[in-house]
Amino acid sequence: MVYITRREHFSAAHRLFLPEYTDEENLSVFGKCSNPNWHGHNYILFVTVRGVPDPVTGLIIHLRHVSKLIDDRVLSKVDHKNLNLEVDFLAGKVPTSEILAIGIWNELAGGIRQLGGELHCIRIEQSENNIIEYYGE
Amino acid sequence: MVYITRREHFSAAHRLFLPEYTDEENLSVFGKCSNPNWHGHNYILFVTVRGVPDPVTGLIIHLRHVSKLIDDRVLSKVDHKNLNLEVDFLAGKVPTSEILAIGIWNELAGGIRQLGGELHCIRIEQSENNIIEYYGE
Amino acid sequence: MVYITRREHFSAAHRLFLPEYTDEENLSVFGKCSNPNWHGHNYILFVTVRGVPDPVTGLIIHLRHVSKLIDDRVLSKVDHKNLNLEVDFLAGKVPTSEILAIGIWNELAGGIRQLGGELHCIRIEQSENNIIEYYGE
Amino acid sequence: MVYITRREHFSAAHRLFLPEYTDEENLSVFGKCSNPNWHGHNYILFVTVRGVPDPVTGLIIHLRHVSKLIDDRVLSKVDHKNLNLEVDFLAGKVPTSEILAIGIWNELAGGIRQLGGELHCIRIEQSENNIIEYYGE
Amino acid sequence: MVYITRREHFSAAHRLFLPEYTDEENLSVFGKCSNPNWHGHNYILFVTVRGVPDPVTGLIIHLRHVSKLIDDRVLSKVDHKNLNLEVDFLAGKVPTSEILAIGIWNELAGGIRQLGGELHCIRIEQSENNIIEYYGE
Amino acid sequence: MVYITRREHFSAAHRLFLPEYTDEENLSVFGKCSNPNWHGHNYILFVTVRGVPDPVTGLIIHLRHVSKLIDDRVLSKVDHKNLNLEVDFLAGKVPTSEILAIGIWNELAGGIRQLGGELHCIRIEQSENNIIEYYGE
């Protein structure tokens, strides 16, 4: 079993808040991430797939197929977008990196399986100091 | 003459567009950075000051004073903010990184001089692939 | 279950040696890290916490509370300090990164639990080439 | 149980192809990595060893012994070499990073055990976007 | 005057040698970079352009046009190629990073001018420890 | 004219203080860097040399000779040492990064000239946030 990771990145705006809260309540729960006029990040995304290398080609999976899948199912939806307003798989949710990682897992797991691998981990670096990992369970 | 650089970072939303343009015109000039619902970045800011080290202390400038100045004049205005809507020194301008670098220079040059140094360069990394530098002229 | 990591850093002096050994013996066991006049490092610290995102807020834990806990229990004790002479949780121990990681785990595990998460991993990068991880067992 | 990682790097040429395939077939399976005139990479290698810190010295293993072992068994064979033509432990194999990681594991596992540790992971960063990990099973 | 830098990367094989030298002579001049079976690198390329921001758009130059120019004139020729055998602008030259930087400058300077900017610097990081810069003079 | 940079690193202890000052005075001038029990850093050192590439070999200078010079004149004196107590070229000086950069320049400039190049810049990254550059004038 070998693990292969593809690194991608995207830039997006978001705001952490609950509409039923006042601005003060949102500030106390979400801190400066609740700024009503949005803010944004460069997100670094690591998608890890596991599998057994093919005995002939030495490959687990065609990484450019993984890359295309990530592009179709994730990057095209989130890059240079507003995570609160424009992303189908985040609709109705607070777009924390935790929720984003789970959402990206759900977007990719099936497609990875069709490519012959198994999705192992979604890792998101929201900044160099804040990192989220989700293993699907 | 020695050059000392302080690295800081901030996260902000922005949109590149001209209000007198249609969305299509903005898209053709500014690309996906014109997305009407905003997007955002983690900006890395490098402030370089030059000066002659003090013969007794070996210091050009007290870097924590520089750091405090950057915090007061720049970070408190831009971190977790919307560069189009909330930043006084960018009012009425398209917040490209070029314009942002010039704006930050103007915010800091006088204060650096009062601290006994001379501002040499403002460098902004908007992403790991796109970098802007401004030397005040 | 989602894993969230906070990255922090500190700078400290240390010396690897056993007082009952001669300088030659210390040199043979600890190499140049046994230099009697100390040396030091910029340590990068990664604290990973695991938990289930709150169904309402989408957060596992308030990261600024984690950050404050790290500051109170670890950074305030080790940053710009001598790990051999000034750190209570290392007293009487050889301050290798292994021992440092275990010590930091013990400083943080209880407080993380009180914040509603579970400490998962302490990772220390003593240099870009030497990395230590401890998972509490 | 503590995990210690040593980071090393090497530069090598390689080509992904099967001699029984035509150039077109190789291109369709391996993409531009099948270029007949070779290409190359700066590989970053992370070797992770686990063990229990010695109660006296606080060390799991002497990292400079690990480093020497990596140098003798791996770097001396692959650095500034052609992975297809010059590396004994890759002979007759397609030198993908998957196969390279398994090969390096086999080169190091016994020697790490003799040094008193247990090899835990071989991680290879073939580029900043493509990463392979192998845990020996 | 503002400076804008675009970062790109490519992977290539090369060999430093003079055909009129023996292998021993090449080894003594070029060290292990003279390995007859090639080796390779991940090259990081930084292209810096200078100009005055447009008073309306705030842009010096359309960075995606710069990126396309780099792709057409440089990356398509060198990525996953052999620098000794396959690159027109290096024909008959020893492909050191010095010569590579000068060659890339010559490929790009005219096109950058047509895009309305002025090429300022070509920077190549052949490894994290070896960096070359060329300013066109 | 081409510029070539070699990156090296070393780890050292230091303390910023003036012996004629009280601890309180030192604290007010040098902040936490005045800690009487020392602290330390991983210093990253960039040595930039300029020259004209040899028309035959395409090289400005043999980088491994530069590397050996840095090792002999700088790294062997500062790595895993105490900058206040053990470094001849810093004797009697406050070992700020400013003073360290000037000292390293003086150690290297003559030797670089003998190797056929001209020393252009000494850059020291004392941490990822604090950087010093010295150009010899």
Side-chain angles (χ1 to χ4, degrees):
Chain A
M1 186 70 70
V2 179
Y3 298 74
I4 188 163
T5 298
R6 178 70 188 174
R7 177 181 176 271
E8 303 279 357
H9 30 87
F10 60 93
S11 297
H14 78 152
R15 181 196 171 195
L16 301 188
F17 77 112
L18 289 165
E20 60 270 31
Y21 281 15
T22 64
D23 279 6
E24 288 68 29
E25 288 170 320
N26 279 313
L27 184 63
S28 98
V29 173
F30 296 107
K32 58 188 177 179
C33 291
S34 70
N35 180 36
N37 287 312
W38 318 100
H39 67 286
H41 298 287
N42 300 332
Y43 292 88
I44 307 180
L45 170 64
F46 297 80
V47 176
T48 301
V49 175
R50 65 180 171 193
V52 177
D54 181 289
V56 175
T57 64
L59 299 172
I60 299 173
I61 199 170
H62 289 291
L63 206 49
R64 75 207 126 110
H65 297 173
V66 175
S67 189
K68 183 174 183 321
L69 180 73
I70 299 171
D71 201 43
D72 290 348
R73 299 301 302 264
V74 179
L75 301 186
S76 65
K77 295 180 178 180
V78 297
D79 188 33
H80 284 72
K81 301 291 185 191
N82 185 308
L83 300 185
N84 297 70
L85 302 180
E86 299 180 282
V87 181
D88 57 0
F89 64 81
L90 295 173
K93 296 171 184 162
V94 183
T96 62
S97 289
E98 289 92 325
I99 297 303
L100 185 57
I102 295 172
I104 291 174
W105 176 283
N106 292 335
E107 286 296 298
L108 294 177
I112 295 289
R113 207 169 301 119
Q114 290 181 340
L115 291 173
E118 195 174 351
L119 184 56
H120 174 68
C121 181
I122 298 296
R123 176 185 170 103
I124 294 175
E125 298 186 1
Q126 181 184 302
S127 75
E128 64 187 25
N129 295 329
N130 295 351
I131 303 162
I132 288 284
E133 287 161 305
Y134 179 60
Y135 294 85
E137 54 190 17
Chain B
M1 186 71 70
V2 180
Y3 298 75
I4 187 163
T5 297
R6 178 71 189 173
R7 178 180 176 271
E8 303 279 359
H9 30 89
F10 60 93
S11 297
H14 78 152
R15 182 194 171 195
L16 302 187
F17 77 113
L18 289 165
E20 60 269 31
Y21 281 16
T22 64
D23 280 5
E24 289 67 30
E25 288 170 321
N26 279 314
L27 184 64
S28 98
V29 173
F30 296 106
K32 59 187 177 179
C33 291
S34 71
N35 180 37
N37 287 314
W38 317 101
H39 66 285
H41 297 288
N42 300 331
Y43 292 89
I44 307 180
L45 169 64
F46 298 80
V47 176
T48 301
V49 175
R50 64 179 172 194
V52 177
D54 181 288
V56 175
T57 65
L59 299 172
I60 298 173
I61 198 169
H62 290 291
L63 206 50
R64 76 206 125 112
H65 296 173
V66 175
S67 189
K68 184 175 183 322
L69 179 73
I70 298 171
D71 200 45
D72 289 348
R73 299 301 303 263
V74 180
L75 300 186
S76 64
K77 295 180 178 180
V78 297
D79 188 33
H80 284 71
K81 301 290 186 190
N82 185 308
L83 300 184
N84 296 70
L85 302 179
E86 299 180 283
V87 181
D88 57 0
F89 64 80
L90 295 173
K93 296 172 183 162
V94 183
T96 63
S97 290
E98 289 92 324
I99 297 303
L100 185 57
I102 295 172
I104 291 173
W105 176 283
N106 292 334
E107 286 295 299
L108 294 178
I112 295 288
R113 208 170 299 116
Q114 289 180 340
L115 291 174
E118 194 174 352
L119 184 56
H120 174 68
C121 181
I122 298 296
R123 176 185 171 102
I124 294 175
E125 298 186 2
Q126 182 185 304
S127 74
E128 64 187 26
N129 295 328
N130 294 353
I131 303 162
I132 288 284
E133 288 162 304
Y134 179 59
Y135 294 85
E137 54 189 17
Chain C
M1 185 71 69
V2 180
Y3 298 75
I4 187 163
T5 298
R6 178 71 188 173
R7 177 180 176 271
E8 303 280 356
H9 29 88
F10 59 92
S11 297
H14 78 153
R15 181 195 172 196
L16 301 187
F17 77 112
L18 289 165
E20 59 269 33
Y21 281 16
T22 63
D23 280 4
E24 288 68 28
E25 288 171 320
N26 279 312
L27 184 64
S28 98
V29 174
F30 297 107
K32 58 188 176 179
C33 292
S34 70
N35 179 36
N37 287 313
W38 318 100
H39 66 286
H41 298 288
N42 300 332
Y43 292 88
I44 307 180
L45 170 64
F46 297 79
V47 176
T48 301
V49 175
R50 64 180 170 191
V52 177
D54 180 289
V56 174
T57 65
L59 299 172
I60 298 173
I61 199 171
H62 289 291
L63 206 50
R64 74 207 126 107
H65 296 172
V66 175
S67 188
K68 185 177 182 318
L69 180 74
I70 299 170
D71 201 44
D72 289 349
R73 299 300 304 263
V74 179
L75 302 186
S76 65
K77 295 180 177 179
V78 297
D79 188 34
H80 283 73
K81 301 291 185 190
N82 185 309
L83 300 185
N84 296 69
L85 302 178
E86 299 180 283
V87 181
D88 57 0
F89 64 80
L90 295 173
K93 296 171 184 164
V94 182
T96 62
S97 290
E98 289 91 325
I99 297 303
L100 185 57
I102 295 172
I104 291 174
W105 176 283
N106 292 334
E107 286 295 299
L108 293 177
I112 295 289
R113 209 170 300 119
Q114 289 181 339
L115 291 174
E118 196 175 348
L119 185 56
H120 175 67
C121 181
I122 297 297
R123 176 185 170 102
I124 294 175
E125 299 186 2
Q126 182 184 303
S127 75
E128 64 186 26
N129 295 330
N130 295 352
I131 304 162
I132 288 284
E133 287 161 305
Y134 179 59
Y135 294 85
E137 53 190 17
Chain D
M1 185 71 69
V2 180
Y3 298 76
I4 188 164
T5 298
R6 178 70 188 173
R7 176 181 176 270
E8 302 280 356
H9 29 88
F10 59 93
S11 298
H14 78 152
R15 181 194 172 196
L16 302 188
F17 77 111
L18 289 165
E20 60 269 32
Y21 281 15
T22 64
D23 279 5
E24 288 67 29
E25 288 171 320
N26 279 313
L27 185 63
S28 99
V29 173
F30 296 107
K32 59 188 177 179
C33 291
S34 70
N35 180 36
N37 287 313
W38 318 100
H39 67 285
H41 298 287
N42 300 333
Y43 293 89
I44 307 180
L45 169 65
F46 298 80
V47 176
T48 301
V49 175
R50 65 180 170 192
V52 178
D54 180 290
V56 175
T57 64
L59 299 171
I60 298 172
I61 199 170
H62 289 291
L63 205 49
R64 75 209 127 108
H65 297 173
V66 175
S67 188
K68 184 174 183 321
L69 180 73
I70 299 170
D71 200 43
D72 289 348
R73 300 300 303 262
V74 179
L75 301 186
S76 65
K77 296 179 177 180
V78 297
D79 188 34
H80 283 70
K81 302 291 185 190
N82 185 309
L83 300 185
N84 296 70
L85 303 178
E86 298 180 283
V87 181
D88 57 0
F89 64 81
L90 296 173
K93 297 173 184 161
V94 184
T96 62
S97 290
E98 290 91 324
I99 297 304
L100 186 56
I102 294 172
I104 291 174
W105 176 283
N106 292 334
E107 286 296 298
L108 293 178
I112 295 289
R113 209 170 299 119
Q114 289 180 340
L115 291 174
E118 195 174 349
L119 184 56
H120 174 68
C121 182
I122 298 297
R123 176 186 170 102
I124 294 175
E125 297 186 1
Q126 182 184 304
S127 75
E128 64 187 24
N129 296 328
N130 294 353
I131 304 162
I132 289 284
E133 287 161 306
Y134 179 59
Y135 294 85
E137 53 190 19
Chain E
M1 186 71 70
V2 179
Y3 298 75
I4 188 164
T5 298
R6 177 72 189 171
R7 176 180 176 272
E8 303 279 358
H9 30 89
F10 59 93
S11 297
H14 77 153
R15 181 195 172 195
L16 302 188
F17 77 112
L18 288 165
E20 60 270 30
Y21 282 17
T22 63
D23 280 4
E24 289 67 30
E25 288 170 320
N26 279 314
L27 185 64
S28 97
V29 173
F30 297 107
K32 58 187 177 180
C33 291
S34 71
N35 180 36
N37 287 313
W38 318 101
H39 66 285
H41 298 288
N42 299 332
Y43 292 88
I44 307 179
L45 169 64
F46 297 79
V47 176
T48 301
V49 175
R50 65 180 171 194
V52 177
D54 181 288
V56 175
T57 65
L59 300 171
I60 298 173
I61 198 169
H62 290 291
L63 206 50
R64 75 206 125 111
H65 296 174
V66 175
S67 188
K68 184 176 183 318
L69 179 74
I70 298 170
D71 200 44
D72 289 349
R73 299 301 303 265
V74 180
L75 301 186
S76 65
K77 296 179 177 179
V78 297
D79 188 33
H80 283 72
K81 301 290 186 192
N82 185 308
L83 300 184
N84 297 70
L85 302 179
E86 299 180 283
V87 181
D88 59 359
F89 65 81
L90 296 173
K93 297 172 184 163
V94 183
T96 62
S97 289
E98 290 90 324
I99 297 304
L100 185 57
I102 294 171
I104 291 174
W105 176 283
N106 292 335
E107 286 296 298
L108 293 177
I112 294 288
R113 207 171 298 118
Q114 289 180 342
L115 291 173
E118 194 174 350
L119 185 56
H120 175 66
C121 182
I122 298 297
R123 175 186 172 102
I124 294 175
E125 297 185 2
Q126 181 184 303
S127 75
E128 64 186 26
N129 295 329
N130 294 353
I131 304 162
I132 288 283
E133 287 162 305
Y134 179 59
Y135 294 85
E137 55 189 17
Chain F
M1 185 71 68
V2 180
Y3 298 75
I4 188 164
T5 299
R6 178 70 189 173
R7 177 181 176 270
E8 303 279 358
H9 28 89
F10 60 92
S11 297
H14 78 152
R15 181 193 172 196
L16 302 188
F17 78 111
L18 289 165
E20 59 270 32
Y21 282 15
T22 64
D23 279 4
E24 288 67 28
E25 288 170 320
N26 279 313
L27 184 63
S28 98
V29 174
F30 296 107
K32 58 188 177 179
C33 291
S34 70
N35 179 36
N37 287 314
W38 318 101
H39 66 285
H41 297 288
N42 300 332
Y43 292 88
I44 307 180
L45 169 64
F46 297 80
V47 175
T48 301
V49 174
R50 65 181 171 194
V52 177
D54 180 288
V56 175
T57 65
L59 299 171
I60 298 172
I61 198 169
H62 290 292
L63 206 50
R64 75 208 126 109
H65 296 173
V66 175
S67 189
K68 184 174 184 321
L69 180 74
I70 299 171
D71 200 44
D72 289 349
R73 299 301 303 262
V74 180
L75 301 186
S76 65
K77 295 179 178 180
V78 297
D79 188 34
H80 283 72
K81 301 291 186 190
N82 185 308
L83 300 185
N84 296 70
L85 302 179
E86 299 180 283
V87 181
D88 58 359
F89 65 81
L90 295 173
K93 296 171 184 163
V94 183
T96 63
S97 289
E98 289 91 324
I99 297 304
L100 186 56
I102 295 172
I104 291 174
W105 176 284
N106 292 335
E107 286 296 299
L108 294 177
I112 295 289
R113 208 171 298 117
Q114 289 181 341
L115 291 174
E118 194 174 350
L119 184 56
H120 175 66
C121 181
I122 298 297
R123 176 186 172 102
I124 294 175
E125 298 185 1
Q126 182 185 301
S127 75
E128 64 186 24
N129 296 328
N130 294 353
I131 304 161
I132 288 284
E133 287 162 306
Y134 179 59
Y135 294 85
E137 54 188 16

